[in-house]
Every structure is written in C-alpha cells, then in structure tokens.
C-alpha cells in the first residue's frame, strides 16, 4: 500500500475512469432497452431523438473511458514494478553479507522476476476492481431505485453476493494453490540455475536423467496447480453468471406488479432489467481478485523478507580519502613501473595505527569464528595472518570491509570506530586481492575499469604488464575489448588471481589486504608476482592472509590464528623457534619441498 501512495493521483484518475466505464455500460444498456421498447410503440422520431443520442454517447464514451482506464492502469502498474525492482535491488545492496549468503541465487532470481510481476495483481486485480465495484454498485443501486426500489434492493443484495461471498468461497476452495505456485516457480528457477552453472559436472557424472526427472516433476506440479486454479476460475465465471441471471429473473418478478399496477410505465421494464444486468459488470473480476491475493501475499513475503532483520550500522557518507589522509596517494601512471614506489611518505611506527582490532568477537549463528582478536596495523607495516583452513582468517577481511559487523569489540580505522565510517568510505581506501575474484560477463577493459574509472588504455596495459599478464593478453583476439565470459570461465584460476592484482594496482589505495593472492599459481609465477606486489606495497599498510608460509621473513608481524584465537605472534625468526602450528607447518613444507627435489 505504501507504494500506491507515490501515484495517488494517477490511481484516483484510474478509479474515476473505471467507474465511468461501468456507469457508461449501465447507461448504454438502459437507454438501449428503453429505445427498443419505446420504438415498438411507433412514436414520432423526434420523441426518441434524445434517447438515440444517449445510446451513441454512452457507446462511444464507454469505449473511450475503457481505453483511458486501461492505459492509465498499465502506466501505474509499470511505474509500480519499476519502483519495486529498484527497491528490491537497493535492499540486496544494503544487506550484510551474513544475511545475503542465506539466500540462494535461484530464489533471488525468482523474486526479481516472477514475485515482483505477481505484485502487480495487487493493484490491477485487487485494489482497483474492489474500489470501482463498490462505487459503481452504490450508484447503480441509486439509479435503479428511481424506477423500482424492490429491484434495486435485489440487485444490491446479489451484487454483494458476487462481490463478497463468491470471492471468499473461491479463496477457501483454492487455499494453498497460490502459495504452491510461487514456491514451485522458485524451485524451478533454482533448478534452472543449477543445471546451467553445473552443466559440465552434470554431464561428467551422467546426471542428465536425474535432473530431467526433477525438471519434469516440477513442471507437472506447476501444471496441476495451474489447472486447479483454472477450474476455480471457471467455477467463478459460472457463479457470476448464475447470480446475474438470478438477479434479472427476480427483478423481473418484483417489477412486473409495479408495471401492471400502473406505477411504472411498461417501456421502463426493459430499462430496469438491462440496468440490473449491466450493474454486474462491476463485480465480474472480484472472484479472481481473491484467487490472486494469496499468491500476491506470498510473493510480497518473499520480497519484503529482504528488508527485515538487522541492517549494517552506517553514518553519512564522507570523503573516503580522509580515512588515511596522512598517506600521500600517488596515482598509478606510466612513469612508474609500480604504483607508489618512492613518493609514499611513511609515518613513524609509534603513531596511532591505521587499523586496530580490539577484542573482536564474531559468530556465524552458533559457531564462534573469532574470539577476542586484537592487533594493530601501523602505517607502512606488513602483517601476515596465518593458520589452518577454517580458523577465521578470511573473516577478518569481511569484518574490516564491513561486510559483517563485530558481535563484540571494535575495529578502529583511521583512529575511529569503523561503525562511524560509511562502508563505502572504508572500501574506497582499501585494495583487496581476494582468493575468489569475481569477473563480470563483460570486456577485459570494463572489468579493469571497475578499480579506476578514469584509467586510459596505457594505464591498463601497464597494470597488466606489472601483473605478468602480457603474454596472456597478447593472445586475446580483441585485446582490451575481449569478452571474458560469465564468471571469467575463459581464464584459468591463476589468470583470475593476477587480474585481481591488476585491479588493486589500478585502485592505488593506501591499504592493501591480500587473501591468498598467489593461490593457483605455479612457483615461478608466484615468486615473480610476489615481488611485484611487494614493490607496490612499499610504504603502504598491508594485511596478508595465507596458509602458505613462503618468504615469511618479509613481514613485520606474523599472527597465528587457530580456532578463532591468536595463539602466537611475532617475527619469523621468533616464531620458528617456538613450538606450535607455525613451526610444524614450516617443517612440513620444507619436507615436502625436499621430497619433490
């Protein structure tokens, strides 16, 4: 209903046009009935001239009003759908990652397509028909009452049956069908996405038959639900017709004595009966309104559930550059092999850290991921977080970027609690090289421009060269205008990782976070890329998340994270002498390397 408030004047206009259409239909049949009856008595043509003009007027005006009502109603509907889709997209954008991960892509696709389309029924088939029916029924009652009060009350009573009893009966009989249709369509969308994205594995393991059976089963269930709804739609039409003809017969019976007694002229009998018949046009769509109401409610629940629950706490957006304003950010240019090589001024280590974790706790549901995490990241320092898989390393990244917010403790960014920064400000000041880089189904150029919208071709090529991707680039058929395909499926895992480094180089942020940046790379390429990254990190603050303990003497601080707790911290030469996970892993990797040699 809140959405309707944006278009109240258009909706009021549609109601006026819809009511005018019904009343024009009543006037058309009433004047036609009177004209036929009066013409049978062969009066002078001049006596019928007004009625003839009335028939023409109501006939033309009914068509014009109907066209205007349809045009305005659909305009309102499309405006509502546009606003709903925008609201839905904004809701997804505002969701914290912890909530968004709870939705399957098929459900979201179903919501943005069929669920939103379903909501148009609320206006087109629920709100407008009931409003128009109520206004038209009252006016029709008052009009018929001028000629036959008994027929007017009969009409009003049976209009109420058509407008209330029949729709409620149909909703009772068809209960569950609308909800079932929405749920089944959502499952069908999920299955489509799974089949499309997993087609190679489906073929590899010969699962085509199983998925085809699931698909056919869902289609059959949707078909049965639609057929059941069609049955009730047919029943609705039958009940409406029976009620209308019942009203005509009863009105004829109660009006005949009035005519015989001379209280009403005989030529008025057709006017009354035709008016009664035309009045039922206002209620003929109310049965389907209740049928669609259930599926509309279910669709609305699916959509508005995205707006429920806790939202990330944000302040007003400010200038992201002010977060780390003490760091001189130099643009990535063709005059530098690597961004920020010699022009970055590093503050003294004893100053307030750029980033500070203070007793941070975080849990996914009942699973405690981080427990009392605390460490600083001074300007220009290089911090490594190591530990076994599932220890919570990547969660630190998500908390810092405010995809999640801590359950307890705080993360200070630029000397302030991160809760006081807008998430976009923090993300603008941090470059991320993630282990699961997402590549859009667009050109290489557009995928790189995400990090730096104003970069020219020379800057893009320089970034590709520094990320050791020129050999791959030279094989592309259309250079920077080559399409990478959905999810970048045309690239290997290592190539996707190096494109992530390209984006970080182009973004040129004062803080870098690297989550397994050399995953999926061979040893030679890994060593070369690490050197590139380290040159880019000169004077910058960096957090390097990894489980591969390679060249660890580079880092100023190493944190060993196990089961959500920091179990050891220090430089490489200190940790290698202590018993624990770090030393065990270093020995294990050394033994594996010796075995390979």
């Amino acid at each position: 209903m809140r959405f309707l408030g944006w278009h109240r004047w258009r909706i009021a206009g549609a109601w006026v046009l819809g009511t005018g259409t019904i009343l024009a239909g009543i006037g058309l049949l009433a004047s036609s009935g009177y004209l036929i009856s009066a013409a049978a008595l062969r009066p002078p043509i001049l006596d019928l001239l007004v009625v003839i003009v009335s028939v023409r007027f109501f006939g033309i005006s009914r068509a014009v009003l109907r066209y205007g009502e349809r045009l305005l109603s659909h305009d309102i509907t499309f405006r509502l759908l546009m606003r709903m889709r925008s609201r839905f997209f904004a809701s997804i954008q505002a969701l914290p990652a912890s909530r968004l991960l709870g939705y399957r892509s098929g459900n979201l696709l179903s919501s943005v397509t069929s669920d939103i389309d379903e909501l148009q029924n609320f206006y087109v088939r629920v709100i407008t028909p009931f409003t128009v029916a109520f206004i038209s029924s009252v006016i029709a009652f008052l009009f018929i009452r001028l000629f036959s009060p008994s027929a007017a009350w009969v009409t009003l009573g049976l209009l109420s049956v058509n407008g209330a009893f029949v729709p409620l009966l149909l909703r009772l009989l068809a209960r569950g069908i609308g909800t079932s249709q929405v749920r089944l369509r959502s499952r069908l969308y999920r299955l489509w996405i799974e089949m499309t994205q997993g087609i190679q594995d489906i073929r590899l393991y010969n699962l085509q038959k199983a998925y085809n059976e699931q698909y056919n089963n869902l289609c059959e269930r949707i078909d049965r639900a639609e057929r059941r709804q069609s049955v009730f739609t047919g029943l609705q039409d039958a009940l409406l017709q029976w009620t209308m003809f019942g009203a005509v017969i009863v009105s004829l019976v109660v009006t005949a004595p009035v005519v015989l007694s001379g209280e009403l002229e005989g030529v008025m009998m057709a006017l009354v009966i035709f008016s009664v018949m035309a009045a039922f046009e206002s209620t003929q769509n109310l049965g389907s309104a209740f049928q669609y109401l259930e599926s509309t409610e279910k669709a609305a629940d699916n959509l508005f559930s995205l707006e429920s629950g806790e939202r990330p706490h944000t302040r007003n957006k400010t200038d992201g550059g002010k977060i780390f304003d003490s760091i001189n950010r130099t643009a990535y240019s063709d005059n530098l092999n690597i961004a920020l090589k010699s022009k970055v001024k590093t503050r003294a280590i004893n100053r307030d850290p750029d980033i500070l974790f203070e007793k941070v706790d975080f849990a996914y549901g009942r699973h405690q991921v981080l427990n009392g995490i605390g460490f600083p990241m001074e300007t220009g320092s290089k911090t490594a977080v190591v530990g076994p898989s599932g220890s919570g390393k990547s969660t630190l990244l998500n908390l810092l970027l405010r995809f999640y917010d801590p359950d307890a403790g705080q993360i200070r960014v630029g000397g302030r609690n991160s809760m006081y920064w807008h998430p976009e400000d923090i993300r603008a000041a941090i470059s991320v090289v993630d282990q699961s880089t997402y590549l859009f189904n667009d050109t290489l150029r557009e995928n790189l421009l995400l990090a730096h919208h104003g970069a020219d071709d020379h800057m893009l090529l320089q970034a590709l060269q520094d990320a050791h991707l020129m050999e791959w680039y030279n094989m592309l058929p259309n250079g920077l205008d080559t399409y990478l395909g959905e999810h970048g499926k045309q690239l290997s895992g290592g190539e996707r990782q190096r494109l992530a480094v390209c984006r970080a180089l182009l973004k040129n942020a004062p803080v870098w976070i690297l989550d397994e940046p050399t995953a999926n790379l061979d040893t030679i390429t890994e060593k070369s890329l690490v050197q590139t990254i380290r040159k880019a990190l000169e004077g910058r603050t960096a957090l390097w998340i990894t489980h591969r303990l390679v060249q660890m003497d580079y880092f100023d601080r190493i944190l060993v994270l196990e089961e959500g707790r920091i179990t050891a911290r220090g430089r490489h030469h200190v940790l290698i002498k202590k018993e624990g996970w770090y030393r065990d892993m270093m020995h294990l990797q050394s033994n594996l390397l010796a075995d390979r040699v």
Side-chain angles (χ1 to χ4, degrees), residues 103-133:
Y103 293 91
R104 300 179 65 174
S105 55
N107 290 339
L108 295 176
L109 176 62
S110 176
S111 294
V112 80
T113 53
S114 61
D115 285 349
I116 290 180
D117 288 339
E118 194 73 42
L119 288 185
Q120 67 179 306
N121 294 324
F122 180 69
Y123 170 71
V124 176
R125 297 181 176 178
V126 179
I127 294 295
T128 298
F130 272 101
T131 305
V132 171

Side-chain angles (χ1 to χ4, degrees), residues 329-333 445-457 459-460 463 502-508:
R329 300 177 64 186
T330 305
Y332 192 90
S333 68
R445 183 196 311 277
E446 294 301 324
N447 272 279
L448 292 178
L449 289 177
L450 290 173
H452 186 358
H453 295 290
D456 56 26
D457 289 0
M459 295 171 67
L460 299 181
C502 281
R503 286 176 174 173
L505 291 169
L506 289 166
K507 188 174 182 180
N508 194 31

Side-chain angles (χ1 to χ4, degrees), residues 493-550:
E495 289 165 346
R496 282 197 293 268
Q497 289 296 97
R498 282 177 281 180
L499 277 181
V501 174
C502 281
R503 286 176 174 173
L505 291 169
L506 289 166
K507 188 174 182 180
N508 194 31
V511 174
W512 279 40
I513 300 179
L514 304 104
D515 188 2
E516 304 288 357
T518 59
N520 306 312
L521 296 180
D522 60 85
T523 304
I524 296 177
T525 305
E526 177 185 18
K527 182 178 180 180
S528 176
L529 187 58
V530 167
Q531 291 176 352
T532 299
I533 294 174
R534 289 182 178 178
K535 288 181 181 178
L537 292 179
E538 290 180 6
R540 295 177 181 272
T541 307
L543 177 65
W544 196 304
I545 300 171
T546 183
H547 66 273
R548 302 174 65 178
L549 308 184
V550 179

